[in-house]
Amino acid sequence: MLKSYLYLVPALLCLLPGCQLPSPKPDTGEPAKKPGLTLLNDSQAIAGVPTQSIDRKSLMPLHIAGILDKTGSTEPNKIPNFTEEQLKTISKALQERGGEFRLLALCSDSDKVLAHLKIPVSIISPTTPASLPEENSVNTIEYAKLEQGYSQRMAEYKTKKAEFDRANQVQRKANEVEIEIFLKAAKSILAAPSTCKSTDIVGGIKRVDLFLNERQPAGAMPVRKVAFFLTDGEHNTTAATKPPEMKSKPEIVVVSPGSGAGMLEQLQPNKFESIDAAIADVLSH
């Protein structure tokens, strides 16, 4: 009986001018959602994040070994050569997320000097203090206390932010100098003719594995390791038919248009036809 009265009261009130009762909603058996709250599954949540809000600095630092075939088989097999612009693209990515790049010319041996670029991981910018609540949401005395604390935190933030900006500017200038030194050293490697008479794939794998397996300082961020081969993978300096085990467990990328990856096929590489596509894939995650 009481339940009937509860339904009757709003109906009587709505006899007044301007009042409208909402249309009854069918019972779907699903729990009611709070106003203004939309529940998303993981895919919907990720899709709803604007691209510009994703911080590239959240990506892992990169350690990349670039292995460039300089043997006589590159021309008939259409093995491409890095360009300076492509190395600049990789360098700029390291500028944003930190890491190392070493470039090895693959020849009849693998004891050549590597062009080397090392960029430290960027320092983290201080976080802006949380905003004050709406003034009318708390009493006057409590709001005054919150405002005083906020002013103090904001002053500390501005000091730390100014220090961060100065240190970041100094580091970026130092990085630009390192990039210029690296590109100059790499330029001579890129320009060298592909005239080596045999290909030491095994030695090249061992050399880059040594770099990628180097122990990182205690407390350093984990790094993503990539062995980036521009070669047909045909080893012919020894009778070896299997690649050595790579202790560093890197991602293997091979760019070799129109041909297989030779010995590198056994390492289950990600294969690409163009260098640009391979670089875009490596830098995308």
Side-chain angles (χ1 to χ4, degrees), residues 109-121:
D109 54 49
S110 303
D111 60 355
K112 308 297 182 185
V113 176
L114 279 69
H116 180 209
L117 173 65
K118 183 174 183 179
I119 302 293
V121 176

Side-chain angles (χ1 to χ4, degrees), residues 12 43 46 69 94 99-100 110 124 143 156 167 177 184 190 201 260 270 273 278 281:
L12 291 173
S43 299
I46 293 171
D69 198 326
L94 296 187
E100 294 188 51
S110 303
I124 300 174
Y143 189 83
E156 293 172 352
V177 171
K184 186 176 181 180
L190 301 184
I201 298 292
N270 296 319
E273 185 178 25
D281 181 74

Side-chain angles (χ1 to χ4, degrees), residues 90-168:
I90 295 172
S91 300
K92 288 177 182 178
L94 296 187
Q95 173 86 296
E96 297 303 319
R97 59 198 282 179
E100 294 188 51
F101 183 89
R102 297 189 191 181
L103 181 63
L104 171 66
L106 197 61
C107 194
S108 54
D109 54 49
S110 303
D111 60 355
K112 308 297 182 185
V113 176
L114 279 69
H116 180 209
L117 173 65
K118 183 174 183 179
I119 302 293
V121 176
S122 300
I123 55 178
I124 300 174
S125 176
T127 305
T128 309
S131 301
L132 286 168
E134 293 291 335
E135 190 170 356
N136 59 2
S137 65
V138 294
N139 65 59
T140 305
I141 296 174
E142 183 63 26
Y143 189 83
K145 292 180 181 178
L146 293 174
E147 197 170 31
Q148 183 179 4
Y150 176 78
S151 297
Q152 183 177 350
R153 292 192 301 274
M154 182 56 74
E156 293 172 352
Y157 163 75
K158 287 181 178 179
T159 300
K160 291 179 180 178
K161 183 65 166 61
E163 292 173 352
F164 164 81
D165 289 341
R166 285 194 295 271
N168 194 46

Side-chain angles (χ1 to χ4, degrees), residues 86 95 126 138-139 173 189 199 209 213 219 223 228 259 277 279:
Q86 288 164 342
Q95 173 86 296
V138 294
N139 65 59
K173 287 183 178 179
I189 297 175
T199 314
D209 189 42
N213 202 42
V223 298
F228 197 119
S259 62
I279 291 175

Side-chain angles (χ1 to χ4, degrees), residues 1-9:
M1 188 69 177
L2 179 59
K3 188 173 181 181
S4 299
Y5 282 121
L6 291 176
Y7 284 111
L8 181 61
V9 171

Side-chain angles (χ1 to χ4, degrees), residues 18 79 99 143 153 182 196 206 233 236 238 240 246 249 253 272 280:
I79 307 300
Y143 189 83
R153 292 192 301 274
F182 164 71
C196 293
K206 289 180 178 178
N236 50 26
T238 67
M246 298 193 76
K249 307 298 182 187
V253 172
F272 294 86

